[in-house]
Amino acid sequence: IREQERADPPRAEPLIPPEGMMMPGTVTLDFGEMQDGVMQVEVELWNTDFVTSIERHGERVRLSVDTTVPIATLFARAELVGRGHRGLTDVQGYESRIGLYLHEPYDSKKIPVVLVHGLRSSPATWREMLNSFRADPVLRERYQFWMFLYPSGLPVPRSAYYLRTALSEARSLLAPDGPTESMNQMVLVGHSMGGLISKAVLQDSGDELWDSLHPDRFEDVEMPPVVREHLNEVFFYEADQCVSRVVFIATPHKGSSIASSLVGRIGDSMVSLTDELNEVDRWFRAEQLNVDQDPTRQLHQGVPTSIDDLRPDSPHLVAYTKLPIRSGVQYHSIAGNASGDSDGVVSVESALLEGAESELVVDAGHNVHEHPRAIREVRRILLLHAESLD
């Protein structure tokens, strides 16, 4: 087995999906001379992520490659990954799978693109886009695609904490001497609630999130240590410095009216949070007795689910709309428009964020990220990103 000469990548087992890492491979046969009635045949297996052509008979020969089969095999084996509804209703049972997963071997020269799924979904929702991009030799040469998996029933601030932590841990593991040039130009692509989580990672929280829930300073409020640790993790943080571009697809920046409807209430009642969040929930409800009643705060309602966080009047969502995206980060908006002014879940007005480098409205439903026009637009943005770095 031969590979193009390159430095051995760092150990990355924590970033490999439990189902394994599926890679395209091409086998070549080199027939030699007959000796005593036996023909000598050299069999070579090439990893076409790293080797695209080989020398044969004095000429450079391009290897055939099938990038579709590895993607199909991964998602066929990843049964849990394909069941996004479990991440909404059974958060505790899904917790062990939270993390950032590499779809291909790490390459320090390629720019990471992190795909963040939305509510009641999973990384399997990116199959169409991933299949298209991996088949594109230009994108395949410049980018590597990572997937973030999380239980979508979690409140947005907690999911954002997990994404921030996963990105930091991946950098420490893959680039222990400090982020490489490519790592510093990371791109996030978020669909639906995944866009809100991506945006939260790129904002300095200040006191905005905490102030949306409680009238007193965080340091002055008495609470159990486990509650303080949790709230400190999710409410106080600095923006990630390695992400330089983000694409929002069908992202409800101003919320979704469905979250406040009967359908949303039914969905909310089906969410089962973790033991840790339940303890925080009990403290929230008890603490409400110690502060003045304020209808703009959510303290009396306990810990919100992700569906609560998508309501237009959600304190978390309102706080996020007040926080600017870190300076230097360029962002783009893609919206669906299947019914005049909405994709059926998120309105066009809510999906378009002021200050975006570009906007595209596609005649499609909420799964607009699977539409060919949206896929082409993300490809255009990635090519633009690479050209700007060049």
Side-chain angles (χ1 to χ4, degrees):
I1 298 177
R2 299 179 180 176
E3 282 193 354
Q4 195 174 39
E5 289 186 10
R6 61 187 177 88
D8 290 334
R11 291 171 58 83
E13 281 80 355
L15 304 176
I16 295 178
E19 295 77 16
M21 184 177 286
M22 314 301 164
M23 295 170 285
T26 297
V27 175
T28 60
L29 305 178
D30 193 2
F31 295 91
E33 297 180 357
M34 277 284 225
Q35 296 181 1
D36 299 327
V38 178
M39 177 174 285
Q40 302 297 317
V41 181
E42 183 179 13
V43 180
E44 295 174 290
L45 173 61
W46 305 91
N47 183 340
T48 46
D49 271 331
F50 298 101
V51 184
T52 58
S53 63
I54 58 175
E55 191 82 23
R56 280 296 181 271
H57 308 296
E59 295 183 3
R60 202 72 191 168
V61 180
R62 189 167 186 85
L63 292 173
S64 297
V65 57
D66 186 338
T67 58
T68 297
V69 172
I71 297 171
T73 303
L74 172 62
F75 290 120
R77 291 186 182 181
E79 182 180 5
L80 180 61
V81 175
R83 294 185 177 181
H85 64 276
R86 285 189 58 182
L88 174 65
T89 59
D90 182 18
V91 174
Q92 181 112 0
Y94 213 79
E95 258 195 323
S96 63
R97 291 297 298 266
I98 295 176
L100 198 61
Y101 295 104
L102 274 62
H103 175 71
E104 58 193 281
Y106 173 69
D107 188 335
S108 61
K109 296 182 177 133
K110 294 182 179 181
I111 302 168
V113 177
V114 182
L115 306 173
V116 187
H117 66 80
L119 184 71
R120 198 178 176 272
S121 188
S122 76
T125 195
W126 298 107
R127 277 176 294 196
E128 295 298 326
M129 187 175 293
L130 190 59
N131 194 44
S132 176
F133 290 169
R134 290 285 290 146
D136 188 316
V138 177
L139 294 184
R140 196 165 66 242
E141 182 179 351
R142 296 302 303 270
Y143 291 99
Q144 53 194 312
F145 298 94
W146 301 356
M147 300 174 290
F148 180 60
L149 172 64
Y150 67 99
S152 63
L154 284 171
V156 169
R158 190 59 175 172
S159 295
Y161 162 76
Y162 281 129
L163 179 55
R164 287 197 312 274
T165 302
L167 291 174
S168 177
E169 291 177 348
R171 287 191 290 265
S172 297
L173 180 66
L174 300 172
D177 297 328
T180 63
E181 183 179 351
S182 296
M183 190 83 79
N184 272 327
Q185 302 298 335
M186 190 177 294
V187 179
L188 299 183
V189 181
H191 172 245
S192 191
M193 190 174 70
L196 292 178
I197 294 169
S198 300
K199 184 172 69 173
V201 168
L202 304 176
Q203 297 171 314
D204 291 322
S205 67
D207 295 320
E208 197 69 49
L209 286 165
W210 170 253
D211 290 346
S212 70
L213 297 179
H214 204 289
D216 300 329
R217 293 175 61 229
F218 181 71
E219 297 80 2
D220 298 337
V221 179
E222 294 185 6
M223 61 186 76
V226 65
V227 174
R228 184 173 297 279
E229 180 181 4
H230 170 87
L231 296 180
N232 187 60
E233 287 176 343
V234 301
F235 285 161
F236 301 97
Y237 60 88
E238 294 181 353
D240 191 286
Q241 298 298 309
C242 289
V243 177
S244 62
R245 196 179 295 266
V246 59
V247 183
F248 300 115
I249 306 178
T251 298
H253 297 287
K254 299 176 184 177
S256 170
S257 59
I258 289 183
S260 304
S261 68
L262 177 60
V263 173
R265 294 301 89 206
I266 293 175
D268 180 65
S269 68
M270 297 172 63
V271 178
S272 175
L273 296 175
T274 64
D275 294 339
E276 176 191 9
L277 284 171
N278 286 331
E279 186 167 347
V280 176
D281 181 85
R282 288 190 291 271
W283 179 82
F284 267 179
R285 296 178 187 276
E287 178 65 12
Q288 179 63 25
L289 302 176
N290 300 325
V291 300
D292 294 334
Q293 180 70 29
D294 185 344
T296 66
R297 303 185 192 276
Q298 203 170 20
L299 200 63
H300 67 285
Q301 297 177 9
V303 172
T305 68
S306 56
I307 296 177
D308 290 322
D309 275 345
L310 297 182
R311 295 171 57 180
D313 61 349
S314 159
H316 286 165
L317 189 65
V318 172
Y320 282 131
T321 60
K322 296 177 181 178
L323 295 172
I325 292 177
R326 177 176 65 79
S327 175
V329 176
Q330 297 176 303
Y331 55 94
H332 307 258
S333 296
I334 300 175
N337 187 7
S339 58
D341 61 356
S342 167
D343 63 16
V345 176
V346 178
S347 69
V348 173
E349 179 188 6
S350 182
L352 298 181
L353 186 61
E354 185 179 355
E357 293 290 317
S358 66
E359 296 178 345
L360 176 68
V361 180
V362 180
D363 186 13
H366 189 56
N367 286 342
V368 60
H369 62 300
E370 299 176 352
H371 193 282
R373 282 194 65 198
I375 294 174
R376 286 199 299 270
E377 173 68 359
V378 177
R379 179 183 185 274
R380 182 193 69 81
I381 292 169
L382 293 179
L383 292 176
L384 174 69
H385 186 62
E387 289 170 5
S388 68
L389 300 181
D390 294 340

